[in-house]
Amino acid sequence: MDEGAAAGMALLQVESLRVRFHKLLALDDVTFTLRGGELLGLIGPNGAGKTTLLRSIAGLQMATRGWVKVLDQFVVPGELQVLRNIGFTPDTPGIYEDLTVRQFLTFVGKGYGLSRGEAQERIDFWLDKVWLTEKANQKLKGLSRGMRQRVGIARTLLPNPPLVLLDEPAAGLDPVGRVQFRQLLINLREQGKALIVSSHILSDLQEYCTHVGIMSAGRMVQFGTVRQVADSEKHPRCRYRLTLAAKAEALGNTLATIADVSAIEANGDTASLEFDSDKSAAARLLSQLIAAGLPVSSFVSEGTGLEGAYLRTGIRQVD
């Protein structure tokens, strides 16, 4: 389909999706829609169901109940017509280690029915986009984990699918690579593709996502735009972190004397606590800390952004 033609379309529909492995309910009635140009970031602890969700959407995992549609076609394992519209990169991409990068991607292109000329043109294009042009003739077994991730992404994008699924794609990337990767995702959004990225790097997700889904125990605990999920105004309390210029005796006891403070965690010269989230409350809290004789050198609210939203769910472990 034409690049950008999908922009605004409901490319992906997931309805009441459930996956059960014997007694384990891996996905529990997950429902959402993604349109062209939207990028959903999935976050949650190990075992939350993120990978199972991606595999189900990619047609690699049969659903126990519910359904997935891509471009208004039901996704069914083995149905190649619809699966050609989906690109999926697992957290550990499968590769043939004795092939060079170019040989491997040429093999993939042939599997998709691309002519040799078209395949080589696309390979050159995507190797440039994933910063592997200089590694084109190197064997895959000699690449670092981060470079293998890039090859996996190039392999996924080679057939130009309108829906792209990436499971922990930033794993192994250095800081420069992460910046470049963010730009790549933004470019793919601008092409009208719909994307889902599973990642534990919450600060990165906030940079390139349009939507966020927080998962736990197979359920989508929260789903919405980044602004909707991260908006602290809907949450009356948030967490504050403070650092002191010097250790304070009985810091926890001192903090406990301040009205409405809760969930105190104190350790010598640092502490965190929960208090009202609005700006005037933050100013009042800081004044009370100083009035209590605490030498505050740093005072930060953790109530805004995805990290704050994640902490508010009570799910403590991010994989």
Side-chain angles (χ1 to χ4, degrees):
M1 67 186 301
D2 180 76
E3 288 185 9
M9 293 176 55
L11 282 181
L12 171 66
Q13 297 166 278
V14 179
E15 181 64 35
S16 302
L17 190 63
R18 176 174 288 190
V19 174
R20 182 182 291 278
F21 300 112
H22 302 292
K23 295 182 179 181
L24 174 64
L25 188 58
L27 285 183
D28 188 5
D29 291 333
V30 174
T31 298
F32 66 91
T33 297
L34 274 188
R35 300 182 179 278
E38 294 180 342
L39 195 162
L40 169 64
L42 290 180
I43 57 179
N46 285 326
K50 305 186 299 299
T51 295
T52 301
L53 176 59
L54 293 177
R55 287 177 53 82
S56 299
I57 295 171
L60 299 174
Q61 174 61 55
M62 183 71 74
T64 306
R65 193 177 77 184
W67 49 261
V68 175
K69 281 186 178 182
V70 173
L71 291 173
D72 211 31
Q73 292 181 296
F74 286 107
V75 173
V76 179
E79 290 289 341
L80 297 182
Q81 183 176 358
V82 63
L83 296 181
R84 286 179 180 273
N85 293 317
I86 306 168
F88 174 50
T89 301
D91 58 349
T92 305
I95 57 177
Y96 295 105
E97 294 198 337
D98 287 327
L99 297 181
T100 67
V101 173
R102 184 174 295 279
Q103 288 171 338
F104 172 66
L105 293 176
T106 300
F107 170 76
V108 171
K110 188 174 183 179
Y112 280 102
L114 301 178
S115 68
R116 184 170 182 82
E118 184 179 13
Q120 294 308 312
E121 182 178 347
R122 292 192 184 189
I123 289 168
D124 289 339
F125 177 81
W126 288 116
L127 286 181
D128 177 64
K129 293 298 182 182
V130 299
W131 328 285
L132 284 177
T133 298
E134 295 181 356
K135 303 292 184 180
N137 298 315
Q138 183 169 330
K139 287 191 175 183
L140 292 164
K141 62 184 177 184
L143 299 182
S144 67
R145 185 188 178 192
M147 289 182 182
R148 291 181 182 218
Q149 287 293 118
R150 297 181 188 187
V151 173
I153 294 170
R155 175 249 178 271
T156 297
L157 296 174
L158 196 63
N160 195 30
L163 174 64
V164 178
L165 314 173
L166 304 174
D167 194 1
E168 296 291 350
L173 294 183
D174 58 30
V176 173
R178 282 168 52 190
V179 172
Q180 294 170 325
F181 177 67
R182 289 201 298 268
Q183 187 56 54
L184 172 63
L185 293 179
I186 292 171
N187 290 341
L188 293 173
R189 276 177 43 199
E190 292 173 347
Q191 292 176 23
K193 298 183 186 298
L195 301 99
I196 303 180
V197 176
S198 169
S199 178
H200 66 277
I201 308 174
L202 305 192
S203 57
D204 282 4
L205 288 176
Q206 193 156 341
E207 293 290 328
Y208 55 70
C209 290
T210 62
H211 293 69
V212 172
I214 300 178
M215 297 191 68
S216 177
R219 298 187 66 86
M220 192 73 79
V221 178
Q222 287 190 40
F223 177 88
T225 65
V226 172
R227 184 171 182 177
Q228 287 169 342
V229 173
D231 187 0
S232 66
E233 293 180 0
K234 298 179 182 179
H235 305 273
R237 295 177 71 81
C238 70
R239 197 152 194 86
Y240 296 86
R241 186 170 299 277
L242 61 137
T243 302
L244 306 182
K247 290 185 177 181
E249 294 295 330
L251 176 57
N253 293 336
T254 302
L255 295 174
T257 64
I258 300 175
D260 295 327
V261 165
S262 63
I264 299 169
E265 296 180 10
N267 183 19
D269 60 351
T270 62
S272 64
L273 52 87
E274 289 188 3
F275 196 71
D276 293 346
S277 61
D278 64 82
K279 293 181 179 180
S280 61
R284 185 171 70 254
L285 173 60
L286 180 57
S287 296
Q288 290 175 295
L289 293 171
I290 295 172
L294 297 176
V296 179
S297 62
S298 174
F299 177 78
V300 180
S301 165
E302 296 182 338
T304 58
L306 294 183
E307 292 184 356
Y310 187 86
L311 290 173
R312 286 193 298 268
T313 66
I315 307 169
R316 295 298 178 183
Q317 176 203 355
V318 179
D319 62 338

